[in-house]
Amino acid sequence: MQDYINKNKDRFLNELLDLLRIPSVSTDLTYQKDVKRAADFLADRLKEAGAEKTTVFTTAKHPIVYAEKIIDPTKPTVLVYGHYDVQPADPLELWNSPPFEPVIKNGNIYARGACDDKGQMYMHVKAFEVMMQTSQLPCNVKFMIEGEEEIGSENLITFVRANKDLLKADIILISDTSMIDNETPSVQTGLRGLSYLEVEVSTINRDLHSGLYGGAVANPIQVLCKMIDSLKDADGRITIPNFYDQVVELSKEEREEMAEAPFDVEVFKQSIGLKDIAGEKGYTTPERTAIRPTLDVNGIWGGYTAEGAKTVIPAKAFAKISMRLVPNQDPDEITALFVNHFKKIAPPTATVEVRPHHGAVPVLVERSSVGYKAAAKALEKTFGRKAIPFRAGGSIPVVALFKQELGLDTVLMGFGLDSDAIHSPNEKYGLFNFYKGIETIPYFYQYFAEMSK
Ligand code: BES
Ligand code: MN
Ligand code: MN
């Protein structure tokens, strides 16, 4: 198998570069044709690799790519999930090279989607090719690759509910998370959930001259800032009543296990230009990003922000706010708590509107599953080191859905690094990680098939 990988290494990479050249930005409909092109590209590559029933399913927005290879219906089935859509590339001026013209520098591929998730997802397509071409596929495999992950997976939800038979499997396998570092493989044991909202505060019916009216009316931007500031107390705890009610606290043993994962606070600070760490009192930085919920302002605007000065009191102020959730917080419940609270803390002069966006249910991975064990064993095999269990701070909305609708556990075998700058300018993915993934995935299949017996 390694022989086949070595011989086809360059082609694997070139195919990924071709995929990265397609700007499949799901949120911006001016790219709709490109999104479709990425789906067709994948379907073609899957077919070439030996997949059957390869289909590009159209949906109300972006297509879903499905393919399968059933070698023996009595053997177990792995359902690979991934996404070919990417985040917008802006701010463009901060990229060192154009986001959809991938370049290789210092062993990394730089492009939007290099890591999230084209690079990681494509490892599965190539690992499948490797197993097929060397006649070593040990169990059945199905692929479901979507184009709406970055915008909430709305049409995948419909697709999954409508295609339960087609998607019958024994385990879901996903590479769309990070590992600890290139020397330390890890199996991710959880994902945070998400509640995302937009708020609007108004105090007056039009923009006003700040000399004629200033001092006599509440400024909506300042009202909004005060309201937002009050959402966390001095200890970094969220002040929304009942926010923490459903949070499952970790045992001392679980926290000790987490603390075993290598983490260097100085490297963390330096890598993002941070002068000092911050966060909820009583928790370490890795805990703050994995096992604790949090609230962040993602954007805030209003009033005059163009060149020069304009003396004005704006009529309205806006913000986008996200809350990352942990088991067993329910995104709908948290959203309702937020809406309620945010309206309650508004001063009498302000009118507040809250508009909820998409959410995600937090996930705890089943560590006793055969899939989890097979992933840990495969990583240990190719890295020569024990994989460390590790909870991811990000969200993948559909993982909870897979459990709920298909009854399937998920294995999160991520090969990215937090430093890969996903969603940021200069996103990258290591060649080491790309090839390591292609090498490791076939072992996952082998162990999963063996251990399922
Ligand atoms: N692949 C990421 C999620 C991720 C990254 C999880 C690294 C764990 C470690 C995914 O594409 C993503 O960006 N998810 C969004 C979800 C949202 C769009 C509903 C997120 O986490 O913000
Ligand atoms: Mn992703
Ligand atoms: Mn993403």
Side-chain angles (χ1 to χ4, degrees):
M1 233 172 331
Q2 195 55 50
D3 219 41
Y4 185 89
I5 296 176
N6 289 341
K7 284 203 181 101
N8 294 280
K9 240 176 154 205
D10 294 341
R11 177 174 52 84
F12 290 177
L13 177 61
N14 284 327
E15 288 174 12
L16 172 60
L17 298 184
D18 282 340
L19 179 59
L20 290 170
R21 285 188 191 101
I22 307 175
S24 48
V25 180
S26 51
T27 195
D28 185 343
L29 290 181
T30 57
Y31 293 103
Q32 190 149 24
K33 283 218 170 69
D34 297 304
V35 176
K36 170 79 167 61
R37 215 149 46 83
D40 292 338
F41 176 94
L42 278 170
D44 290 346
R45 297 294 87 72
L46 280 160
K47 212 183 227 162
E48 280 168 12
E52 287 158 6
K53 281 203 195 168
T54 304
T55 315
V56 177
F57 284 94
T58 50
T59 76
K61 200 173 261 167
H62 300 310
I64 294 164
V65 180
Y66 177 85
E68 64 174 42
K69 180 69 194 179
I70 308 296
I71 57 162
D72 176 352
T74 65
K75 293 217 152 105
T77 303
V78 176
L79 175 53
V80 176
Y81 164 83
H83 63 96
Y84 63 82
D85 65 322
V86 299
Q87 287 276 332
D90 52 275
L92 283 176
E93 65 278 11
L94 296 182
W95 284 79
N96 298 326
S97 55
F100 298 107
E101 295 171 27
V103 293
I104 295 174
K105 229 172 49 190
N106 305 325
N108 292 309
I109 311 159
Y110 287 86
R112 169 57 83 234
C115 172
D116 183 15
D117 179 37
K118 286 174 174 170
Q120 294 206 65
M121 172 268 292
Y122 206 64
M123 301 179 318
H124 287 272
V125 179
K126 291 301 99 177
F128 171 67
E129 178 192 319
V130 172
M131 291 185 282
M132 286 297 290
Q133 299 309 315
T134 58
S135 310
Q136 294 186 72
L137 183 66
C139 56
N140 306 314
V141 53
K142 296 179 174 179
F143 285 90
M144 178 170 63
I145 304 169
E146 71 155 319
E148 294 182 19
E149 196 276 344
E150 300 291 6
I151 53 172
S153 301
E154 203 181 313
N155 288 301
L156 191 82
I157 298 171
T158 319
F159 182 81
V160 167
R161 290 199 174 126
N163 290 284
K164 290 190 181 175
D165 267 339
L166 181 70
L167 301 173
K168 268 211 174 89
D170 297 279
I171 194 80
I172 308 264
L173 178 62
I174 305 178
S175 296
D176 192 22
T177 48
S178 332
M179 54 185 197
I180 295 170
D181 57 52
N182 279 355
E183 285 74 50
T184 320
S186 61
V187 201
Q188 290 75 61
T189 56
L191 293 164
R192 285 200 284 189
L194 181 71
S195 162
Y196 199 106
L197 320 102
E198 194 170 312
V199 301
E200 177 184 324
V201 170
S202 53
T203 57
I204 42 185
N205 61 9
R206 62 180 169 89
D207 288 8
L208 300 174
H209 188 292
S210 67
L212 300 188
Y213 292 91
V217 299
N219 181 313
I221 297 183
Q222 282 156 286
V223 169
L224 175 60
C225 288
K226 224 177 188 162
M227 288 172 72
I228 288 173
D229 186 56
S230 78
L231 295 175
K232 278 190 186 174
D233 68 15
D235 290 338
R237 276 181 73 88
I238 293 155
T239 55
I240 300 168
N242 304 101
F243 182 85
Y244 291 96
D245 284 6
Q246 309 302 325
V247 172
V248 180
E249 297 285 342
L250 265 70
S251 67
K252 195 165 151 277
E253 291 71 32
E254 285 172 305
R255 290 180 74 181
E256 278 166 7
E257 183 193 66
M258 265 195 86
E260 282 169 26
F263 178 76
D264 185 330
V265 99
E266 289 311 317
V267 172
F268 173 77
K269 280 159 57 179
Q270 202 233 323
S271 69
I272 52 173
L274 184 70
K275 281 212 282 200
D276 199 4
I277 53 165
E280 188 184 358
K281 199 173 160 188
Y283 295 91
T284 64
T285 296
E287 286 174 340
R288 286 168 178 166
T289 60
I291 60 163
R292 298 301 294 167
T294 189
L295 180 150
D296 277 287
V297 179
N298 296 257
I300 184 160
W301 69 102
Y304 186 69
T305 56
E307 179 107 22
K310 177 188 180 195
T311 47
V312 67
I313 298 172
K316 287 177 191 297
F318 304 84
K320 290 183 194 279
I321 296 175
S322 70
M323 289 170 282
R324 293 284 168 177
L325 312 178
V326 299
N328 290 325
Q329 289 177 298
D330 175 76
D332 293 335
E333 241 169 66
I334 294 292
T335 299
L337 290 177
F338 180 98
V339 174
N340 225 334
H341 178 69
F342 207 69
K343 290 196 163 154
K344 204 174 272 166
I345 61 172
T349 180
T351 306
V352 172
E353 264 185 58
V354 186
R355 291 182 281 270
H357 283 246
H358 53 258
V361 177
V363 170
L364 257 195
V365 165
E366 182 51 59
R367 289 170 64 171
S368 65
S369 81
V370 174
Y372 182 89
K373 291 178 186 154
K377 194 170 168 191
L379 289 163
E380 187 172 349
K381 170 83 183 166
T382 57
F383 282 81
R385 276 184 74 173
K386 267 211 162 359
I388 291 182
F390 175 83
R391 280 220 227 168
S395 312
I396 305 176
V398 291
V399 174
L401 178 89
F402 293 151
K403 183 74 191 183
Q404 190 196 319
E405 296 293 328
L406 304 173
L408 293 180
D409 288 319
T410 289
V411 172
L412 299 169
M413 196 162 66
F415 288 87
L417 297 174
D418 283 351
S419 56
D420 282 339
I422 64 172
H423 296 203
S424 300
N426 304 309
E427 176 176 354
K428 67 173 170 65
Y429 191 45
L431 292 173
F432 168 85
N433 307 68
F434 180 61
Y435 290 123
K436 204 58 154 178
I438 297 173
E439 183 193 339
T440 307
I441 292 163
Y443 285 109
F444 170 85
Y445 282 77
Q446 186 195 322
Y447 298 144
F448 182 68
E450 285 170 12
M451 291 157 95
S452 295
K453 275 179 195 153

mmCIF file of all heavy atoms in Angstrom, residues 351-386:
data_model
loop_
_atom_site.group_PDB
_atom_site.id
_atom_site.type_symbol
_atom_site.label_atom_id
_atom_site.label_comp_id
_atom_site.label_asym_id
_atom_site.label_seq_id
_atom_site.Cartn_x
_atom_site.Cartn_y
_atom_site.Cartn_z
ATOM 1 N N THR A 351 -35.025 49.942 22.130
ATOM 2 C CA THR A 351 -35.809 48.860 21.534
ATOM 3 C C THR A 351 -34.812 47.815 21.043
ATOM 4 O O THR A 351 -33.861 48.161 20.336
ATOM 5 C CB THR A 351 -36.626 49.372 20.332
ATOM 6 O OG1 THR A 351 -37.388 50.494 20.779
ATOM 7 C CG2 THR A 351 -37.548 48.300 19.795
ATOM 8 N N VAL A 352 -35.029 46.569 21.435
ATOM 9 C CA VAL A 352 -34.065 45.518 21.106
ATOM 10 C C VAL A 352 -34.727 44.448 20.266
ATOM 11 O O VAL A 352 -35.828 43.992 20.568
ATOM 12 C CB VAL A 352 -33.504 44.881 22.403
ATOM 13 C CG1 VAL A 352 -32.661 43.662 22.084
ATOM 14 C CG2 VAL A 352 -32.681 45.897 23.169
ATOM 15 N N GLU A 353 -34.034 44.065 19.197
ATOM 16 C CA GLU A 353 -34.488 42.925 18.406
ATOM 17 C C GLU A 353 -33.390 41.880 18.407
ATOM 18 O O GLU A 353 -32.211 42.229 18.288
ATOM 19 C CB GLU A 353 -34.732 43.364 16.958
ATOM 20 C CG GLU A 353 -36.174 43.699 16.669
ATOM 21 C CD GLU A 353 -36.374 44.000 15.208
ATOM 22 O OE1 GLU A 353 -36.067 43.114 14.376
ATOM 23 O OE2 GLU A 353 -36.783 45.145 14.915
ATOM 24 N N VAL A 354 -33.752 40.618 18.515
ATOM 25 C CA VAL A 354 -32.758 39.546 18.472
ATOM 26 C C VAL A 354 -33.179 38.566 17.395
ATOM 27 O O VAL A 354 -34.319 38.100 17.377
ATOM 28 C CB VAL A 354 -32.643 38.812 19.829
ATOM 29 C CG1 VAL A 354 -31.498 37.813 19.789
ATOM 30 C CG2 VAL A 354 -32.436 39.793 20.971
ATOM 31 N N ARG A 355 -32.263 38.290 16.478
ATOM 32 C CA ARG A 355 -32.568 37.363 15.389
ATOM 33 C C ARG A 355 -31.639 36.155 15.457
ATOM 34 O O ARG A 355 -30.445 36.264 15.180
ATOM 35 C CB ARG A 355 -32.386 38.065 14.043
ATOM 36 C CG ARG A 355 -33.437 39.141 13.778
ATOM 37 C CD ARG A 355 -33.256 39.777 12.425
ATOM 38 N NE ARG A 355 -32.178 40.769 12.434
ATOM 39 C CZ ARG A 355 -32.356 42.057 12.715
ATOM 40 N NH1 ARG A 355 -33.546 42.522 13.016
ATOM 41 N NH2 ARG A 355 -31.330 42.889 12.712
ATOM 42 N N PRO A 356 -32.171 34.991 15.838
ATOM 43 C CA PRO A 356 -31.336 33.784 15.923
ATOM 44 C C PRO A 356 -30.914 33.283 14.542
ATOM 45 O O PRO A 356 -31.680 33.369 13.587
ATOM 46 C CB PRO A 356 -32.250 32.764 16.587
ATOM 47 C CG PRO A 356 -33.370 33.548 17.185
ATOM 48 C CD PRO A 356 -33.539 34.760 16.326
ATOM 49 N N HIS A 357 -29.687 32.794 14.432
ATOM 50 C CA HIS A 357 -29.203 32.120 13.225
ATOM 51 C C HIS A 357 -29.158 30.609 13.488
ATOM 52 O O HIS A 357 -29.832 30.125 14.375
ATOM 53 C CB HIS A 357 -27.793 32.611 12.879
ATOM 54 C CG HIS A 357 -27.766 33.962 12.240
ATOM 55 N ND1 HIS A 357 -27.356 34.170 10.954
ATOM 56 C CD2 HIS A 357 -28.107 35.177 12.728
ATOM 57 C CE1 HIS A 357 -27.441 35.452 10.667
ATOM 58 N NE2 HIS A 357 -27.878 36.097 11.728
ATOM 59 N N HIS A 358 -28.276 29.929 12.740
ATOM 60 C CA HIS A 358 -28.171 28.477 12.894
ATOM 61 C C HIS A 358 -27.526 28.106 14.229
ATOM 62 O O HIS A 358 -26.872 28.921 14.859
ATOM 63 C CB HIS A 358 -27.354 27.876 11.759
ATOM 64 C CG HIS A 358 -26.016 28.538 11.578
ATOM 65 N ND1 HIS A 358 -25.787 29.465 10.575
ATOM 66 C CD2 HIS A 358 -24.876 28.451 12.270
ATOM 67 C CE1 HIS A 358 -24.560 29.909 10.663
ATOM 68 N NE2 HIS A 358 -23.970 29.310 11.683
ATOM 69 N N GLY A 359 -27.687 26.872 14.607
ATOM 70 C CA GLY A 359 -27.072 26.384 15.842
ATOM 71 C C GLY A 359 -26.415 25.047 15.620
ATOM 72 O O GLY A 359 -26.426 24.517 14.507
ATOM 73 N N ALA A 360 -25.806 24.530 16.671
ATOM 74 C CA ALA A 360 -25.235 23.184 16.600
ATOM 75 C C ALA A 360 -25.313 22.568 17.992
ATOM 76 O O ALA A 360 -25.073 23.241 18.999
ATOM 77 C CB ALA A 360 -23.785 23.224 16.125
ATOM 78 N N VAL A 361 -25.662 21.291 18.017
ATOM 79 C CA VAL A 361 -25.755 20.565 19.281
ATOM 80 C C VAL A 361 -24.359 20.069 19.664
ATOM 81 O O VAL A 361 -23.649 19.532 18.816
ATOM 82 C CB VAL A 361 -26.732 19.373 19.121
ATOM 83 C CG1 VAL A 361 -26.805 18.540 20.384
ATOM 84 C CG2 VAL A 361 -28.115 19.869 18.729
ATOM 85 N N PRO A 362 -23.945 20.254 20.924
ATOM 86 C CA PRO A 362 -22.628 19.756 21.333
ATOM 87 C C PRO A 362 -22.579 18.230 21.296
ATOM 88 O O PRO A 362 -23.605 17.568 21.402
ATOM 89 C CB PRO A 362 -22.464 20.272 22.763
ATOM 90 C CG PRO A 362 -23.833 20.639 23.226
ATOM 91 C CD PRO A 362 -24.641 20.966 22.014
ATOM 92 N N VAL A 363 -21.379 17.691 21.149
ATOM 93 C CA VAL A 363 -21.225 16.249 20.942
ATOM 94 C C VAL A 363 -20.190 15.666 21.898
ATOM 95 O O VAL A 363 -19.135 16.255 22.123
ATOM 96 C CB VAL A 363 -20.732 15.983 19.494
ATOM 97 C CG1 VAL A 363 -20.331 14.528 19.316
ATOM 98 C CG2 VAL A 363 -21.785 16.378 18.478
ATOM 99 N N LEU A 364 -20.510 14.519 22.454
ATOM 100 C CA LEU A 364 -19.502 13.712 23.165
ATOM 101 C C LEU A 364 -19.348 12.425 22.377
ATOM 102 O O LEU A 364 -20.331 11.743 22.091
ATOM 103 C CB LEU A 364 -19.997 13.359 24.563
ATOM 104 C CG LEU A 364 -19.445 14.134 25.740
ATOM 105 C CD1 LEU A 364 -19.765 13.405 27.033
ATOM 106 C CD2 LEU A 364 -17.947 14.377 25.627
ATOM 107 N N VAL A 365 -18.135 12.098 22.010
ATOM 108 C CA VAL A 365 -17.893 10.904 21.200
ATOM 109 C C VAL A 365 -17.945 9.654 22.077
ATOM 110 O O VAL A 365 -17.490 9.666 23.220
ATOM 111 C CB VAL A 365 -16.515 11.024 20.506
ATOM 112 C CG1 VAL A 365 -16.052 9.688 19.955
ATOM 113 C CG2 VAL A 365 -16.584 12.073 19.406
ATOM 114 N N GLU A 366 -18.522 8.582 21.537
ATOM 115 C CA GLU A 366 -18.598 7.314 22.259
ATOM 116 C C GLU A 366 -17.233 6.624 22.221
ATOM 117 O O GLU A 366 -16.825 6.093 21.196
ATOM 118 C CB GLU A 366 -19.677 6.427 21.602
ATOM 119 C CG GLU A 366 -19.891 5.103 22.268
ATOM 120 C CD GLU A 366 -20.116 5.217 23.767
ATOM 121 O OE1 GLU A 366 -21.070 5.895 24.177
ATOM 122 O OE2 GLU A 366 -19.306 4.643 24.531
ATOM 123 N N ARG A 367 -16.543 6.665 23.339
ATOM 124 C CA ARG A 367 -15.171 6.148 23.351
ATOM 125 C C ARG A 367 -15.100 4.629 23.451
ATOM 126 O O ARG A 367 -14.026 4.050 23.308
ATOM 127 C CB ARG A 367 -14.379 6.802 24.479
ATOM 128 C CG ARG A 367 -14.092 8.263 24.165
ATOM 129 C CD ARG A 367 -13.533 9.019 25.333
ATOM 130 N NE ARG A 367 -12.230 8.514 25.763
ATOM 131 C CZ ARG A 367 -11.467 9.127 26.668
ATOM 132 N NH1 ARG A 367 -11.891 10.249 27.215
ATOM 133 N NH2 ARG A 367 -10.314 8.620 27.016
ATOM 134 N N SER A 368 -16.233 3.991 23.723
ATOM 135 C CA SER A 368 -16.198 2.529 23.794
ATOM 136 C C SER A 368 -16.507 1.909 22.433
ATOM 137 O O SER A 368 -16.501 0.694 22.284
ATOM 138 C CB SER A 368 -17.197 2.041 24.841
ATOM 139 O OG SER A 368 -18.500 2.363 24.406
ATOM 140 N N SER A 369 -16.779 2.742 21.433
ATOM 141 C CA SER A 369 -17.157 2.180 20.137
ATOM 142 C C SER A 369 -15.944 1.543 19.441
ATOM 143 O O SER A 369 -14.796 1.942 19.671
ATOM 144 C CB SER A 369 -17.758 3.256 19.229
ATOM 145 O OG SER A 369 -16.744 4.027 18.613
ATOM 146 N N VAL A 370 -16.235 0.561 18.603
ATOM 147 C CA VAL A 370 -15.180 -0.099 17.835
ATOM 148 C C VAL A 370 -14.454 0.930 16.968
ATOM 149 O O VAL A 370 -13.231 0.898 16.828
ATOM 150 C CB VAL A 370 -15.792 -1.212 16.944
ATOM 151 C CG1 VAL A 370 -14.739 -1.826 16.033
ATOM 152 C CG2 VAL A 370 -16.431 -2.278 17.809
ATOM 153 N N GLY A 371 -15.209 1.869 16.435
ATOM 154 C CA GLY A 371 -14.625 2.890 15.576
ATOM 155 C C GLY A 371 -13.598 3.730 16.313
ATOM 156 O O GLY A 371 -12.511 4.006 15.796
ATOM 157 N N TYR A 372 -13.931 4.128 17.507
ATOM 158 C CA TYR A 372 -13.007 4.948 18.298
ATOM 159 C C TYR A 372 -11.708 4.174 18.544
ATOM 160 O O TYR A 372 -10.604 4.698 18.373
ATOM 161 C CB TYR A 372 -13.654 5.350 19.629
ATOM 162 C CG TYR A 372 -12.762 6.229 20.468
ATOM 163 C CD1 TYR A 372 -12.787 7.611 20.327
ATOM 164 C CD2 TYR A 372 -11.863 5.671 21.391
ATOM 165 C CE1 TYR A 372 -11.952 8.426 21.078
ATOM 166 C CE2 TYR A 372 -11.026 6.470 22.143
ATOM 167 C CZ TYR A 372 -11.070 7.852 21.988
ATOM 168 O OH TYR A 372 -10.241 8.641 22.725
ATOM 169 N N LYS A 373 -11.868 2.910 18.911
ATOM 170 C CA LYS A 373 -10.686 2.081 19.209
ATOM 171 C C LYS A 373 -9.847 1.857 17.951
ATOM 172 O O LYS A 373 -8.619 1.855 18.006
ATOM 173 C CB LYS A 373 -11.117 0.745 19.821
ATOM 174 C CG LYS A 373 -11.684 0.916 21.228
ATOM 175 C CD LYS A 373 -12.137 -0.413 21.791
ATOM 176 C CE LYS A 373 -12.836 -0.208 23.130
ATOM 177 N NZ LYS A 373 -13.797 -1.303 23.396
ATOM 178 N N ALA A 374 -10.535 1.656 16.846
ATOM 179 C CA ALA A 374 -9.814 1.433 15.587
ATOM 180 C C ALA A 374 -9.026 2.684 15.197
ATOM 181 O O ALA A 374 -7.888 2.597 14.718
ATOM 182 C CB ALA A 374 -10.799 1.056 14.480
ATOM 183 N N ALA A 375 -9.618 3.862 15.421
ATOM 184 C CA ALA A 375 -8.928 5.117 15.084
ATOM 185 C C ALA A 375 -7.690 5.280 15.965
ATOM 186 O O ALA A 375 -6.608 5.636 15.480
ATOM 187 C CB ALA A 375 -9.882 6.292 15.253
ATOM 188 N N ALA A 376 -7.845 5.025 17.256
ATOM 189 C CA ALA A 376 -6.717 5.165 18.182
ATOM 190 C C ALA A 376 -5.593 4.227 17.774
ATOM 191 O O ALA A 376 -4.406 4.603 17.762
ATOM 192 C CB ALA A 376 -7.170 4.876 19.613
ATOM 193 N N LYS A 377 -5.965 3.005 17.392
ATOM 194 C CA LYS A 377 -4.955 2.018 17.005
ATOM 195 C C LYS A 377 -4.265 2.394 15.691
ATOM 196 O O LYS A 377 -3.043 2.255 15.554
ATOM 197 C CB LYS A 377 -5.635 0.637 16.885
ATOM 198 C CG LYS A 377 -4.662 -0.512 16.831
ATOM 199 C CD LYS A 377 -5.363 -1.862 16.949
ATOM 200 C CE LYS A 377 -4.374 -2.959 16.592
ATOM 201 N NZ LYS A 377 -5.008 -4.273 16.431
ATOM 202 N N ALA A 378 -5.044 2.890 14.755
ATOM 203 C CA ALA A 378 -4.473 3.285 13.456
ATOM 204 C C ALA A 378 -3.488 4.434 13.644
ATOM 205 O O ALA A 378 -2.394 4.444 13.057
ATOM 206 C CB ALA A 378 -5.587 3.681 12.495
ATOM 207 N N LEU A 379 -3.840 5.413 14.459
ATOM 208 C CA LEU A 379 -2.958 6.559 14.690
ATOM 209 C C LEU A 379 -1.688 6.119 15.393
ATOM 210 O O LEU A 379 -0.579 6.582 15.086
ATOM 211 C CB LEU A 379 -3.680 7.627 15.522
ATOM 212 C CG LEU A 379 -4.790 8.377 14.776
ATOM 213 C CD1 LEU A 379 -5.720 9.087 15.749
ATOM 214 C CD2 LEU A 379 -4.187 9.377 13.792
ATOM 215 N N GLU A 380 -1.833 5.200 16.339
ATOM 216 C CA GLU A 380 -0.653 4.712 17.060
ATOM 217 C C GLU A 380 0.283 3.979 16.094
ATOM 218 O O GLU A 380 1.504 4.120 16.160
ATOM 219 C CB GLU A 380 -1.079 3.788 18.207
ATOM 220 C CG GLU A 380 0.100 3.394 19.073
ATOM 221 C CD GLU A 380 -0.322 2.639 20.331
ATOM 222 O OE1 GLU A 380 -1.529 2.597 20.642
ATOM 223 O OE2 GLU A 380 0.577 2.087 20.989
ATOM 224 N N LYS A 381 -0.336 3.258 15.163
ATOM 225 C CA LYS A 381 0.445 2.510 14.173
ATOM 226 C C LYS A 381 1.303 3.450 13.308
ATOM 227 O O LYS A 381 2.491 3.216 13.109
ATOM 228 C CB LYS A 381 -0.523 1.710 13.289
ATOM 229 C CG LYS A 381 0.099 1.076 12.072
ATOM 230 C CD LYS A 381 0.754 -0.237 12.413
ATOM 231 C CE LYS A 381 1.433 -0.828 11.190
ATOM 232 N NZ LYS A 381 2.350 -1.911 11.547
ATOM 233 N N THR A 382 0.706 4.516 12.787
ATOM 234 C CA THR A 382 1.450 5.338 11.823
ATOM 235 C C THR A 382 2.275 6.452 12.477
ATOM 236 O O THR A 382 3.218 6.952 11.867
ATOM 237 C CB THR A 382 0.504 5.972 10.771
ATOM 238 O OG1 THR A 382 -0.489 6.731 11.462
ATOM 239 C CG2 THR A 382 -0.156 4.913 9.921
ATOM 240 N N PHE A 383 1.931 6.839 13.696
ATOM 241 C CA PHE A 383 2.714 7.881 14.377
ATOM 242 C C PHE A 383 3.731 7.269 15.335
ATOM 243 O O PHE A 383 4.626 7.970 15.822
ATOM 244 C CB PHE A 383 1.814 8.842 15.173
ATOM 245 C CG PHE A 383 1.119 9.872 14.324
ATOM 246 C CD1 PHE A 383 -0.032 9.555 13.621
ATOM 247 C CD2 PHE A 383 1.613 11.168 14.229
ATOM 248 C CE1 PHE A 383 -0.685 10.504 12.843
ATOM 249 C CE2 PHE A 383 0.963 12.130 13.456
ATOM 250 C CZ PHE A 383 -0.186 11.784 12.765
ATOM 251 N N GLY A 384 3.543 5.970 15.635
ATOM 252 C CA GLY A 384 4.442 5.329 16.598
ATOM 253 C C GLY A 384 4.291 5.883 18.004
ATOM 254 O O GLY A 384 5.207 5.787 18.822
ATOM 255 N N ARG A 385 3.147 6.470 18.266
ATOM 256 C CA ARG A 385 2.864 7.023 19.596
ATOM 257 C C ARG A 385 1.393 6.892 19.911
ATOM 258 O O ARG A 385 0.555 6.963 19.022
ATOM 259 C CB ARG A 385 3.216 8.513 19.645
ATOM 260 C CG ARG A 385 4.651 8.774 19.921
ATOM 261 C CD ARG A 385 4.885 10.260 20.049
ATOM 262 N NE ARG A 385 4.380 10.787 21.324
ATOM 263 C CZ ARG A 385 4.603 12.040 21.705
ATOM 264 N NH1 ARG A 385 5.265 12.852 20.923
ATOM 265 N NH2 ARG A 385 4.142 12.474 22.866
ATOM 266 N N LYS A 386 1.091 6.725 21.167
ATOM 267 C CA LYS A 386 -0.313 6.592 21.576
ATOM 268 C C LYS A 386 -1.099 7.869 21.259
ATOM 269 O O LYS A 386 -0.603 8.975 21.490
ATOM 270 C CB LYS A 386 -0.387 6.364 23.088
ATOM 271 C CG LYS A 386 -0.431 4.903 23.478
ATOM 272 C CD LYS A 386 -1.228 4.700 24.762
ATOM 273 C CE LYS A 386 -1.678 3.266 25.000
ATOM 274 N NZ LYS A 386 -1.345 2.256 24.013
#
